[in-house]
Amino acid sequence: MTIEQKTTFFELLVECGYKEIEVAYPAASDTDFNFVRGLIERNQVPDDVWIQVRSCSFPRSLLADEIYRF
């Protein structure tokens, strides 16, 4: 999805009354990172809405080592 599509979807979820929204995995792509950053910089998250992002729970170097181990 593009940033515009993600923004439209986020606005729809807010309009529907959702108060906790998982918005992205910013480490996955520049699009996800810029989408989340844009929501925050443009103050698009209402005060009564909590956004959540996914993040990696271990260092990327361990992931790379695990991938190339096989």
Side-chain angles (χ1 to χ4, degrees):
M1 291 174 72
T2 65
I3 292 175
E4 293 78 20
Q5 290 170 322
K6 289 175 181 281
T7 302
T8 300
F9 190 62
F10 175 79
E11 291 169 350
L12 177 63
L13 292 173
V14 169
E15 187 179 315
C16 287
Y18 286 90
K19 300 300 181 190
E20 294 183 24
I21 303 170
E22 184 178 307
V23 292
Y25 179 45
S29 68
D30 287 339
T31 301
D32 277 1
F33 179 84
N34 291 327
F35 165 64
V36 174
R37 185 173 191 97
L39 285 178
I40 295 166
E41 287 180 347
R42 291 188 302 273
N43 200 28
Q44 288 184 285
V45 182
D47 290 337
D48 62 342
V49 173
W50 291 61
I51 61 171
Q52 300 173 12
V53 296
R54 290 184 159 267
S55 64
C56 196
S57 62
F58 51 88
R60 283 184 175 229
S61 60
L62 292 178
L63 178 62
D65 290 343
E66 191 64 26
I67 290 170
Y68 291 110
R69 190 179 86 178
F70 296 84

